Amino acid sequence: MKFIILFFILQNIIFGHKLNIFLEDFNHTLKVQSYFQKSSPCQDCDVIVSSNGQTLASLKTDANGKAAFAHQDKFEILNVKIIAGAGHQNEISYTFNNIKEDTNASISSMSTDENPIHLWMKIAISLAGIGLFFYILKRFKTSE
Amino acid sequence: MHIAEGVLSSEILIISDAIVLALIVYLFKKVEIENIGKISAFSALFFVASFIHIPIGPTSIHLILSGIVGAFLGIDAILAIFIALIFQGFLFGYGGITTIGINTIIVATPALLGYFIYTKKFSTKDFLVGAIPILVSVMLLALVLMINGEGFATISKLVFLANIPLVIIEGIIAFFALKFLKKVKM
């Protein structure tokens, strides 16, 4: 029982630190929305938009966690980095699709660039979680 | 292959979540105790495979291995993949929580084709065990995006084309993996 409680606490800690980024490109404007888990917006967070190592814009998110970057040039790849402070940050690479001038909204891909230790920790917890789930299922089935 | 949160309309999400929930409840009741260990192992395999990225031009794709999972688990592959998708959605943002239903339908249900092909006897089946489920998943993904709205028509075509290399790669991997397993068994 202690192990189960510890497992869920660990999940919650890592889960609580996750910063999500969502991008939408429409009419030469890249809209950025950032929020933590449980949909709490990343307010007044720094947004750095860059391409090929060159910083194009430094923005701040509003009270809803949103910011917008107007672009007239065509970029192949844009990097959007959100810095929320207290060690919370996330980065996403956005590849522009070859689409018409009256552009459609694009789906973002959540590519992240996070600390390798956090990544391995999350992988380990997930694998342990999968094992734990099926162990519990087996115990439940055995007791039926 | 995973659809992120905030992309699909609520109608698609609600219907797909309800269907998958009913299916998972059925599978929970039906699963046999002696198979749980195998299902757990393949669930972990599916989970880990998503971290193997293959660069394709400016972007990259990740392995899925749903065909191999389906070949060995049959209908239990849906349960294995569903559990792995939950952890991927929670901790890594691959897909999401509200999209768990639609992602399960797109990724897990074609895995049954892997089982169906594996039970047949013909020369190219090892390749097709890996390739066909992924091809069907890609087609389902494109279809879901088109149903979602006209604004996604271009994206659905791009997504379909971008995942064609994955179909071939998964076929090749399944071919060598199944050949190796047959050799080891003998």
Side-chain angles (χ1 to χ4, degrees), chain B residues 1 22 26 28 62 70 73-74 77 82 90 112 127 132 155 162 173-174:
Chain B
M1 193 73 69
Y26 167 74
F28 274 164
H62 64 83
L73 295 181
F82 174 77
F90 259 117
L112 300 176
F127 176 85
I132 298 295
I155 290 292
I173 289 172

Side-chain angles (χ1 to χ4, degrees), chain A residues 11 15 104 122 126 141, chain B residues 28-29 47 87 90-91 154:
Chain A
Q11 282 257 17
F15 187 58
N104 304 309
K122 288 201 279 189
S126 297
K141 283 277 179 183
Chain B
F28 274 164
K29 290 183 175 171
F47 178 84
F87 283 96
F90 259 117
L91 292 182
T154 308

